[in-house]
């Protein structure tokens, strides 16, 4: 029976080995059926012209003679080969350029096969062969991907395939049980593949933060990964230089500047909110609108950049929290979808990379399968729309709105694309369904066919603001806190001395500083003195009062400002308000970090305060509000920290009877009254001062009785251990008793009394 079983297993494996080549062959055959289609004529004719020009004139004069070329030079090497092949074998009998059209489609078709094979290899690392074959088939026989390369004739599969190859190389670098030379080769190879992708099309640039973050996520391999990353970056720059030099022969700096100018030019060719792309900017149903139009003081393209940057920041932080290969792939999917969904100037095909990485994530959760299906439908519809748009524009079809050919359907497909991005992004950043499998690394995965992948189940809580109480991590949190403080200080500092005269309540508080420094009676006496003293000290930093009054002549900050001789001016009155405005932003970051446990949320909270109009104004005038906000926040933070620490601690157990507490309160009040009256008679205190002294003394006496006298009077030798969820333990030499928050107990003998919920 074992022998028969072994034979059957071997036969199954042998037949499965042919499954991927068969899929690739069928995928090629399907695409060849569409290769003769004229495709997107504008793109195809452009590729034809570029290929012929490269073959006839070479690289050096290409950009100066071709007239229009909005691509970086990476793909032109492939087109040059195509141009030479066409001239050598087809030019003499291809007057209609039909053969050339087929040749310029061929690289994208072959790249499709490579992407299918890569998807198989990536998914196979996390799931069985069936999942891997399914992912490859979903790509190879996807109408949208066939449409892009075989029918349309675009090369997104070449650039996107290289980006996918880069991530695959990073995953392969993690295969060894210990750092090795192979890890360096894989990481350097990832950077080279990524560089070549950018040299063809820049869409994959959103993956750069994740590729950099990969070097930091494994503390055990960090040194080796950082070294390999450095090698990869240097190799990529050299590679970019070697690719660019034949087109722009010059010194390296000039060649790199020329390359950067190409990217700038390419990004400015279509300055519209959406170039037929069903994304966020097409939701209103109007495309081809200049993205220089403003939305709340900023142009649309700036909002697009800010949205993409914010999404990337969240995605990268989530990956740094999870630190798994799965999280890397999921982060790549969300990042590439964010680029298409949120940025302006998007073409219909720029959803391609997002679709590819979403397919790669299918083994992690069902939502990625449904997401891939939804994105495939959107991409296919978008491509059909693009060809229809070309027909309408080139043939001057009347009666149609060229900014929206499909009416409500444009909004529908845009909503599907944006909604899919937000759903997948929220699920990645937030919690996952209970029991969702998290695949193990490849080196821990069983290799027997049919064996389930080793998984660990976990619930993701990182994005839940209720999770909390984490310490500030050095140096990251301190660096962010400092950067936010410095940024707020710079923002408030610029022009804080304008207007130069006293404004609002400065007529009272800045005046109080002048009066303090001249030893005069303080005119405004309804507010406590601390804020006035701080304003006084601020004036002292700039030299105090003129003519040597008070502490005049101390010109610490005048050496920096350089044109003041005293501090009785807007510079002196307001400076410490600017400082405290920055300090409260830093304090808020620390507070939010402790409460939410999230660096992202803490940063958002601090940024919201930084850009709050009230905070900005109050940080630039010499009034008490900035100081009050700082000290009030500090007081709440200090109490919060005391409250949290008091929940988890060990102290002497005091079982004081009710009469003991009553006696303590009464004794404290009596002592307060006695000392208060003594101060009134001996020092001449008025009634208000006497009441304040009485209350302070009574509180002090009660605290001394509670924490010094009570343990000695009512203590029984037991120690009380308290825990954050409300349970506590009483420990003595004979054993420990545990009491749950709902009243359930375990006594020193181990006898259990269950509470309402506790088991």
């Amino acid at each position: 029976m074992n022998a028969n079983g072994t034979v059957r297993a071997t036969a199954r494996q042998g037949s499965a080995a042919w499954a991927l080549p068969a899929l690739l062959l069928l995928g090629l055959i399907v695409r060849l059926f569409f290769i003769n289609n004229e495709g997107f004529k504008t793109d195809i004719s452009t590729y034809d012209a570029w290929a012929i020009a490269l073959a006839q004139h070479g690289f050096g004069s290409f950009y100066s003679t071709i007239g229009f070329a909005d691509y970086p030079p990476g793909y032109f090497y492939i087109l040059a080969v195509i141009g030479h092949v066409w001239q050598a074998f087809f030019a003499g009998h291809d007057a209609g350029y039909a053969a050339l059209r087929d040749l310029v489609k061929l690289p994208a078709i072959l790249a499709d096969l490579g992407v299918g094979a890569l998807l198989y290899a990536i998914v196979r690392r996390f799931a069985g062969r069936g999942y891997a074959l399914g992912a490859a088939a979903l790509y190879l026989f996807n109408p949208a991907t066939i449409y892009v390369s075989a029918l349309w004739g675009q090369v997104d599969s070449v650039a996107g395939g290289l980006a996918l190859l880069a991530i695959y190389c990073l995953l392969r670098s993690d295969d060894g049980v210990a750092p090795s030379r192979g890890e360096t080769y894989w990481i350097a190879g990832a950077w080279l593949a990524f560089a070549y992708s950018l040299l063809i099309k820049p869409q994959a640039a959103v993956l750069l933060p994740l590729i950099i973050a990969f070097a930091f996520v494994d503390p055990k391999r960090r040194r080796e990964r950082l070294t390999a990353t450095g090698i990869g970056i240097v190799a990529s720059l050299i590679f970019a230089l070697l690719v660019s030099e034949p087109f722009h022969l010059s010194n390296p700096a000039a060649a790199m500047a020329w390359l950067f100018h190409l990217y700038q030019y390419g990004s400015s060719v279509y300055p519209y909110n959406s170039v037929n792309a069903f994304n966020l900017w097409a939701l209103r149903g109007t495309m081809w609108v200049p993205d220089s139009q403003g939305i709340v003081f900023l142009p649309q393209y700036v909002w697009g950049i800010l949205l993409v940057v914010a999404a990337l920041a969240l995605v990268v932080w989530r990956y740094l929290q999870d630190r798994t290969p799965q999280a890397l792939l999921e982060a790549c999917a969300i990042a590439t979808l964010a680029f298409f969904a949120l940025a302006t100037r998007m073409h219909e095909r720029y959803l391609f990379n997002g679709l590819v990485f979403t397919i790669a994530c299918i083994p992690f959760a069902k939502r990625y399968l449904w997401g891939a299906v939804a994105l495939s439908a959107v991409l296919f519809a978008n491509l059909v729309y693009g060809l229809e748009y070309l027909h309408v524009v080139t043939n001057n079809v009347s009666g149609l709105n060229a900014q929206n050919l499909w009416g409500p359907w444009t909004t529908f497909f845009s909503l599907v694309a944006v909604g899919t991005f937000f759903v997948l992004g929220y699920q990645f950043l937030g919690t996952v369904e209970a029991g969702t499998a998290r695949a193990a690394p490849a080196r821990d995965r069983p290799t027997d066919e049919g064996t389930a992948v080793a998984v660990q189940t976990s619930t993701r809580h990182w994005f839940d603001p209720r999770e909390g109480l984490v310490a500030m991590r050095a140096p990251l949190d301190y660096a962010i806190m400092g950067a936010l403080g410095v940024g707020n200080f710079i923002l408030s500092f610029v022009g804080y001395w304008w207007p130069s005269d006293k404004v609002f309540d400065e007529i009272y508080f800045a005046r109080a500083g002048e009066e303090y420094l001249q030893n005069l009676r303080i005119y405004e006496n309804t507010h406590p003195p601390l804020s006035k003293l701080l304003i006084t000290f601020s004036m002292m930093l700039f030299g105090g009062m003129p003519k040597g009054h008070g502490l005049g002549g101390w010109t610490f900050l005048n050496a920096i400002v350089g044109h003041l001789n005293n501090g009785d001016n807007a510079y002196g009155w307001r400076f410490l308000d600017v400082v405290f405005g920055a300090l409260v932003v830093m304090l808020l970051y620390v507070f939010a970090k402790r409460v939410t446990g999230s660096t992202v949320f803490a940063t958002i909270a601090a940024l919201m305060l930084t850009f709050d109009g009230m905070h900005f104004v109050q940080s630039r005038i010499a009034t008490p509000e900035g100081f009050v906000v700082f000290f009030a926040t500090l007081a709440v933070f200090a109490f919060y920290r005391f409250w949290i620490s008091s929940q988890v601690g060990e102290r002497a157990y005091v079982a004081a009877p009710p009469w003991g507490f009553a006696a303590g309160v009464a004794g404290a009040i009596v002592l307060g009254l006695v000392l208060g009256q003594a101060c009134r008679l001996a020092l001449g205190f008025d009634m208000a001062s006497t009441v304040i002294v009485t209350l302070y003394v009574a509180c002090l006496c009660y605290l001394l009785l509670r924490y010094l006298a009570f343990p000695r009077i009512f203590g029984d030798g037991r120690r009380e251990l308290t825990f954050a969820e409300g349970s506590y333990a009483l420990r003595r030499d004979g054993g420990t008793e545990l009491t749950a928050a709902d009243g359930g107990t375990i006594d020193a003998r181990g006898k259990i009394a269950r509470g309402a919920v506790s088991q």
Side-chain angles (χ1 to χ4, degrees), residues 109-453:
I109 291 175
L110 296 177
D112 273 341
L113 308 184
V115 172
L118 275 175
L119 286 171
Y120 175 88
I122 290 173
V123 173
R124 188 66 184 91
R125 297 175 62 82
F126 304 99
R129 194 183 301 271
Y131 270 95
L133 290 172
L138 180 58
Y139 176 85
L140 290 170
F141 302 110
N142 193 314
T145 62
I146 296 172
Y147 208 126
V148 171
S149 58
L151 194 145
W152 187 296
Q154 260 290 350
V155 298
D156 297 87
S157 60
V158 181
L162 287 168
L164 187 66
L165 176 61
I167 303 303
Y168 174 71
C169 289
L170 294 183
L171 296 175
R172 285 298 305 269
S173 72
D174 199 31
D175 281 352
V177 296
S180 64
R181 183 176 298 178
E183 181 177 20
T184 301
Y185 292 152
W186 282 113
I187 293 176
W191 278 95
L192 288 173
F194 177 68
Y196 198 22
S197 175
L198 297 185
L199 287 167
I200 294 175
K201 289 194 172 189
Q203 285 91 311
V206 291
L207 301 179
L208 179 60
L210 291 166
I211 297 176
I212 294 175
F214 177 81
F216 295 90
V217 295
D218 190 343
K220 296 180 180 178
R221 298 169 177 249
R222 186 169 296 162
R223 177 177 299 178
E224 290 75 14
R225 285 186 177 182
L226 285 172
T227 301
T229 298
I231 295 173
I233 292 174
V234 172
S236 299
L237 292 174
I238 294 174
F239 178 67
L241 184 63
L242 293 176
V243 170
S244 302
E245 280 288 355
F247 290 90
H248 188 271
L249 190 60
S250 59
N251 63 73
M256 297 303 287
W258 170 81
L259 181 61
F260 179 72
H261 173 73
L262 284 181
Y263 288 114
Q264 283 186 311
Y265 171 71
S267 67
S268 65
V269 172
Y270 298 98
Y272 303 102
N273 64 338
S274 175
V275 186
N276 291 334
F278 294 155
N279 66 356
L280 177 68
W281 304 97
L283 282 173
R284 297 181 63 184
T286 305
M287 297 179 279
W288 293 94
V289 175
D291 63 359
S292 57
Q293 294 188 6
I295 300 178
V296 192
F297 308 117
L298 288 177
Q300 292 180 10
Y301 75 89
V302 174
W303 281 113
I305 293 172
L306 292 176
L307 289 172
V308 172
V309 170
L312 289 180
L314 290 171
V315 166
V316 171
W317 282 118
R318 183 65 193 93
Y319 171 50
L320 291 173
Q321 291 285 333
D322 197 295
R323 303 184 177 193
T324 61
Q326 302 93 296
L328 174 61
L329 276 176
E330 291 181 77
C332 290
I334 305 304
T336 48
L337 289 176
F339 179 69
F340 173 81
L342 303 178
T344 62
R345 308 185 183 188
M346 290 296 103
H347 293 252
E348 58 285 300
R349 306 176 321 278
Y350 289 4
L351 182 58
F352 181 89
N353 287 355
L355 172 61
V356 170
F357 280 102
T358 302
I359 293 174
C361 295
I362 284 176
F364 306 144
K366 289 183 179 179
R367 63 178 179 272
Y368 288 109
L369 174 60
W370 296 114
V373 172
L375 295 173
S376 298
V378 172
L379 179 57
F380 183 80
N382 221 164
L383 293 169
V384 173
Y385 181 97
L387 282 182
E388 184 176 340
Y389 175 84
L390 177 66
H391 170 73
V392 169
V393 172
T394 55
N395 294 284
N396 296 317
V397 178
S398 61
L400 293 175
N401 178 11
Q403 291 182 304
N404 186 357
L405 300 178
W406 288 2
W409 283 105
T410 297
T411 301
F412 171 76
F413 283 113
S414 300
L415 188 61
V416 172
V418 176
T420 302
F421 158 68
F422 275 107
V423 169
L424 295 180
Y426 175 80
Q427 291 292 329
F428 173 60
L429 295 173
T431 57
V432 298
E433 310 86 34
T436 297
R438 305 290 290 168
R443 59 178 178 271
D444 300 329
R445 189 179 66 245
T447 56
D448 295 338
E449 183 66 26
T451 304
V453 177

Side-chain angles (χ1 to χ4, degrees), residues 97 466 664:
Y97 301 107
R466 293 169 298 179

